[in-house]
PDB file of all heavy atoms in Angstrom:
ATOM      1  N   MET A 549     197.818  84.692-111.752  1.00 98.00           N
ATOM      2  CA  MET A 549     197.504  83.384-111.189  1.00 98.00           C
ATOM      3  C   MET A 549     197.850  83.406-109.713  1.00 98.00           C
ATOM      4  O   MET A 549     198.950  83.841-109.328  1.00 98.00           O
ATOM      5  CB  MET A 549     198.312  82.290-111.889  1.00 98.00           C
ATOM      6  CG  MET A 549     197.961  80.885-111.432  1.00 98.00           C
ATOM      7  SD  MET A 549     196.307  80.350-111.937  1.00 98.00           S
ATOM      8  CE  MET A 549     196.547  80.241-113.721  1.00 98.00           C
ATOM      9  N   GLU A 550     196.930  82.947-108.889  1.00 98.00           N
ATOM     10  CA  GLU A 550     197.171  82.908-107.458  1.00 98.00           C
ATOM     11  C   GLU A 550     197.392  81.478-106.984  1.00 98.00           C
ATOM     12  O   GLU A 550     196.903  80.516-107.579  1.00 98.00           O
ATOM     13  CB  GLU A 550     196.016  83.544-106.690  1.00 98.00           C
ATOM     14  CG  GLU A 550     195.918  85.050-106.899  1.00 98.00           C
ATOM     15  CD  GLU A 550     194.939  85.736-105.970  1.00 98.00           C
ATOM     16  OE1 GLU A 550     194.010  85.068-105.465  1.00 98.00           O
ATOM     17  OE2 GLU A 550     195.106  86.944-105.758  1.00 98.00           O
ATOM     18  N   TRP A 551     198.128  81.356-105.910  1.00 98.00           N
ATOM     19  CA  TRP A 551     198.329  80.094-105.184  1.00 98.00           C
ATOM     20  C   TRP A 551     198.071  80.386-103.724  1.00 98.00           C
ATOM     21  O   TRP A 551     198.574  81.371-103.186  1.00 98.00           O
ATOM     22  CB  TRP A 551     199.764  79.601-105.384  1.00 98.00           C
ATOM     23  CG  TRP A 551     200.226  78.610-104.356  1.00 98.00           C
ATOM     24  CD1 TRP A 551     200.046  77.250-104.377  1.00 98.00           C
ATOM     25  CD2 TRP A 551     200.929  78.891-103.141  1.00 98.00           C
ATOM     26  NE1 TRP A 551     200.603  76.674-103.253  1.00 98.00           N
ATOM     27  CE2 TRP A 551     201.150  77.668-102.482  1.00 98.00           C
ATOM     28  CE3 TRP A 551     201.396  80.071-102.548  1.00 98.00           C
ATOM     29  CZ2 TRP A 551     201.808  77.580-101.264  1.00 98.00           C
ATOM     30  CZ3 TRP A 551     202.052  79.985-101.322  1.00 98.00           C
ATOM     31  CH2 TRP A 551     202.254  78.751-100.694  1.00 98.00           C
ATOM     32  N   LEU A 552     197.237  79.566-103.107  1.00 98.00           N
ATOM     33  CA  LEU A 552     196.970  79.709-101.687  1.00 98.00           C
ATOM     34  C   LEU A 552     197.131  78.353-101.012  1.00 98.00           C
ATOM     35  O   LEU A 552     196.759  77.318-101.573  1.00 98.00           O
ATOM     36  CB  LEU A 552     195.553  80.237-101.422  1.00 98.00           C
ATOM     37  CG  LEU A 552     195.295  81.719-101.698  1.00 98.00           C
ATOM     38  CD1 LEU A 552     194.876  81.917-103.151  1.00 98.00           C
ATOM     39  CD2 LEU A 552     194.192  82.252-100.781  1.00 98.00           C
ATOM     40  N   ALA A 553     197.692  78.368 -99.813  1.00 97.00           N
ATOM     41  CA  ALA A 553     197.838  77.148 -99.026  1.00 97.00           C
ATOM     42  C   ALA A 553     197.866  77.524 -97.563  1.00 97.00           C
ATOM     43  O   ALA A 553     198.316  78.620 -97.201  1.00 97.00           O
ATOM     44  CB  ALA A 553     199.128  76.416 -99.403  1.00 97.00           C
ATOM     45  N   GLU A 554     197.393  76.607 -96.723  1.00 97.00           N
ATOM     46  CA  GLU A 554     197.476  76.878 -95.293  1.00 97.00           C
ATOM     47  C   GLU A 554     198.924  77.103 -94.905  1.00 97.00           C
ATOM     48  O   GLU A 554     199.830  76.389 -95.355  1.00 97.00           O
ATOM     49  CB  GLU A 554     196.896  75.709 -94.494  1.00 97.00           C
ATOM     50  CG  GLU A 554     196.894  75.979 -92.989  1.00 97.00           C
ATOM     51  CD  GLU A 554     196.356  74.825 -92.176  1.00 97.00           C
ATOM     52  OE1 GLU A 554     195.602  74.004 -92.715  1.00 97.00           O
ATOM     53  OE2 GLU A 554     196.728  74.754 -90.981  1.00 97.00           O
ATOM     54  N   ALA A 555     199.162  78.119 -94.117  1.00 97.00           N
ATOM     55  CA  ALA A 555     200.518  78.404 -93.645  1.00 97.00           C
ATOM     56  C   ALA A 555     201.098  77.153 -92.992  1.00 97.00           C
ATOM     57  O   ALA A 555     200.446  76.520 -92.161  1.00 97.00           O
ATOM     58  CB  ALA A 555     200.500  79.574 -92.668  1.00 97.00           C
ATOM     59  N   GLY A 556     202.305  76.800 -93.390  1.00 97.00           N
ATOM     60  CA  GLY A 556     202.940  75.584 -92.906  1.00 97.00           C
ATOM     61  C   GLY A 556     202.939  74.451 -93.912  1.00 97.00           C
ATOM     62  O   GLY A 556     203.618  73.442 -93.702  1.00 97.00           O
ATOM     63  N   ASN A 557     202.211  74.610 -95.013  1.00 97.00           N
ATOM     64  CA  ASN A 557     202.172  73.569 -96.044  1.00 97.00           C
ATOM     65  C   ASN A 557     203.420  73.723 -96.935  1.00 97.00           C
ATOM     66  O   ASN A 557     203.366  74.243 -98.041  1.00 97.00           O
ATOM     67  CB  ASN A 557     200.891  73.680 -96.865  1.00 97.00           C
ATOM     68  CG  ASN A 557     200.696  72.500 -97.808  1.00 97.00           C
ATOM     69  OD1 ASN A 557     201.619  71.725 -98.047  1.00 97.00           O
ATOM     70  ND2 ASN A 557     199.489  72.373 -98.333  1.00 97.00           N
ATOM     71  N   ASP A 558     204.527  73.241 -96.408  1.00 97.00           N
ATOM     72  CA  ASP A 558     205.806  73.430 -97.087  1.00 97.00           C
ATOM     73  C   ASP A 558     205.887  72.654 -98.396  1.00 97.00           C
ATOM     74  O   ASP A 558     206.584  73.080 -99.324  1.00 97.00           O
ATOM     75  CB  ASP A 558     206.951  73.014 -96.163  1.00 97.00           C
ATOM     76  CG  ASP A 558     207.080  73.921 -94.947  1.00 97.00           C
ATOM     77  OD1 ASP A 558     206.925  75.151 -95.100  1.00 97.00           O
ATOM     78  OD2 ASP A 558     207.323  73.408 -93.844  1.00 97.00           O
TER      79      ASP A 558
END
Side-chain angles (χ1 to χ4, degrees):
M549 185 69 68
E550 291 190 336
W551 160 86
L552 286 88
E554 183 181 337
N557 189 346
D558 294 320

